[in-house]
């Protein structure tokens, strides 16, 4: 959030919206209705549009600050409770006849299945199998061409998505502490200050990710492993019930990988649903009880020991030899 190039544009738009809102709040006083009535009598040509605009501004000023924030920022959901209360029973993901395409090229084809609540699943398959596209479709980043994804946690803003590092802008001028704070966006949104209690949570999250004392470091100065730890700290603060990880251990040193795998195990033990795209099959066998072998379509989905077989991988390679055009 806020690190992709698209995120910069979104951040700029929210800053502009925030400034505009501040102007409205300052200049439209509690006597705005009376002033609008006087202005309307003095300027008969104001018309129905002007009257509707004045009424809208008046109604806006009468709303509590939290309601205004919710109106202008869909990510602001402080009343979401089932994750913070430790309840993740609604954290399953259902996909039904899901097809995802880039133009006329299919990335995911007719996928149907369920990531059960509290499951820990690795998505594996050859390059070009549609693994990352599947995660983006679940996260709502890529719209399905056909079919649907049903995820109660996503609807409640309790889904966290970690893209590949290559998709993130490491030159964005932000510190580790600021990056981690973005994980708590749900509790303060675009128009409120982070609550003071957030400071303690940020310190705890960075320490849990192995970055104790790093909050003032710029993300541009971090190593690949340190940056991945910071991203995991942000996930800790986000406190989501569904966590999607796209190649979370790629180009990361062994010690960092083991530390982050412990965080993944901890999430699983807490009853969260974790789905990770992985290439290291030994990691999958050792740490992920469920697996989905994808080759645009589903080759096999179930217990890891039954999925990672030689015959299934042969089937996967042959499946990718088929044309991928719609």
């Amino acid at each position: 959030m806020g690190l992709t190039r698209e995120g910069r544009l979104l951040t700029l738009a929210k800053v502009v919206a925030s400034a505009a809102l501040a102007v409205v709040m300052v200049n439209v006083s509690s006597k705005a209705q009376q002033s609008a009535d006087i202005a309307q009598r003095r300027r008969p040509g104001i018309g129905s549009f002007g009257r509707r605009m004045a009424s809208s501004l008046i109604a806006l000023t009468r709303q509590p600050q939290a309601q205004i924030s919710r109106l202008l920022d869909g990510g602001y959901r402080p009343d979401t409770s089932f994750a913070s209360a430790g309840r993740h029973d609604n954290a399953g993901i259902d996909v039904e006849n899901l097809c995802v395409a880039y133009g006329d090229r299919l990335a995911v084809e007719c996928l149907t299945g369920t990531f059960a609540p509290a499951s820990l699943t690795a998505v594996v398959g050859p390059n070009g199998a549609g693994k990352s596209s599947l995660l983006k479709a679940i996260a709502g980043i890529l719209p399905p061409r056909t079919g649907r994804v049903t995820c109660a946690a996503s609807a409640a803003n309790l889904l966290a998505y970690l893209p590949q590092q290559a998709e993130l802008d490491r030159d964005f001028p932000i510190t580790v502490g600021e990056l981690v704070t973005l994980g708590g966006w749900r509790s303060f949104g675009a128009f409120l200050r982070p609550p003071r209690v957030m400071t303690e949570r940020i310190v705890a999250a960075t320490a849990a990710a192995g970055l104790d004392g790093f909050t003032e470091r710029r993300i541009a100065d971090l190593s690949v492993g340190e940056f991945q730890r910071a991203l995991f700290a942000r996930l800790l603060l986000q406190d989501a019930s569904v966590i999607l990880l796209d190649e979370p251990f790629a180009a990361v040193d062994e010690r960092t990988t083991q530390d982050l795998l412990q965080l993944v195990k901890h999430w699983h033990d807490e009853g969260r649903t974790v789905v990770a795209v992985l290439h290291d099959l030994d990691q999958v066998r050792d740490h992920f009880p469920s697996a989905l072998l994808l080759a645009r379509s589903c080759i096999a989905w179930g217990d890891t020991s039954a999925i990672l077989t030689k015959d299934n991988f042969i089937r996967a390679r042959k499946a990718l030899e088929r044309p991928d055009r719609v």
Side-chain angles (χ1 to χ4, degrees), residues 40 42-48 51:
Q40 183 178 343
R42 290 180 178 176
R43 297 179 61 188
I46 188 172
S48 60
R51 288 193 294 273

Side-chain angles (χ1 to χ4, degrees), residues 266-279:
H266 179 67
W267 287 329
H268 183 223
D269 292 341
E270 290 180 328
R272 305 174 196 266
T273 303
V274 182
V275 182
V277 170
L278 296 174
H279 287 283

Side-chain angles (χ1 to χ4, degrees), residues 270-308:
E270 290 180 328
R272 305 174 196 266
T273 303
V274 182
V275 182
V277 170
L278 296 174
H279 287 283
D280 188 327
L281 298 183
D282 288 333
Q283 285 178 357
V284 176
R285 292 186 180 96
D286 292 342
H287 301 283
F288 289 77
S290 300
L292 164 60
L293 176 55
L294 195 64
R296 286 200 299 271
S297 58
C298 175
I299 302 301
W301 193 346
D303 292 340
T304 297
S305 58
I307 302 306
L308 303 187

Side-chain angles (χ1 to χ4, degrees), residues 165 208-211 223-232 248-264 283:
Q165 281 205 25
L211 291 179
S223 67
V224 172
E226 289 168 344
F227 184 53
Q228 197 72 347
R229 288 177 184 270
L231 293 172
F232 266 68
F249 313 121
V252 174
D253 62 275
E254 182 63 24
R255 179 179 176 182
T256 297
T257 297
Q258 292 304 314
D259 289 346
L260 298 183
L261 277 169
Q262 288 304 307
L263 290 180
V264 171
Q283 285 178 357

Side-chain angles (χ1 to χ4, degrees), residues 53-181:
M53 179 64 73
S55 297
S56 298
L57 293 177
I58 293 163
L60 185 63
T61 61
R62 290 174 178 167
Q63 296 187 60
Q65 190 174 16
Q67 288 179 297
I68 295 173
S69 296
R70 185 190 301 278
L71 177 66
L72 298 178
D73 179 12
Y76 176 68
R77 295 289 293 273
D79 55 344
T80 300
S81 59
F82 73 78
S84 58
R87 293 178 54 228
H88 307 285
D89 48 299
N90 293 326
I93 307 167
D94 294 318
V95 294
E96 182 179 348
N97 195 33
L98 179 66
C99 294
V100 179
Y102 297 89
D104 64 349
R105 185 176 65 83
L106 278 173
V108 178
E109 183 177 6
C110 300
L111 180 65
T112 296
T114 297
F115 297 94
S119 59
L120 176 58
T121 306
V123 181
V124 299
N127 291 334
K131 303 181 295 294
S132 296
S133 298
L134 172 60
L135 259 60
K136 290 179 179 179
I138 295 173
I141 297 170
L142 277 178
R145 186 180 184 92
T146 61
R148 63 181 180 178
V149 175
T150 304
C151 179
S154 178
N157 281 354
L158 290 171
L159 181 147
Y161 166 64
L162 180 63
Q164 298 178 25
Q165 281 205 25
E167 298 184 32
L168 303 176
D169 184 359
R170 290 287 302 277
D171 293 326
F172 195 84
I174 191 173
T175 66
V176 170
E178 291 166 335
L179 170 65
V180 175
T181 302

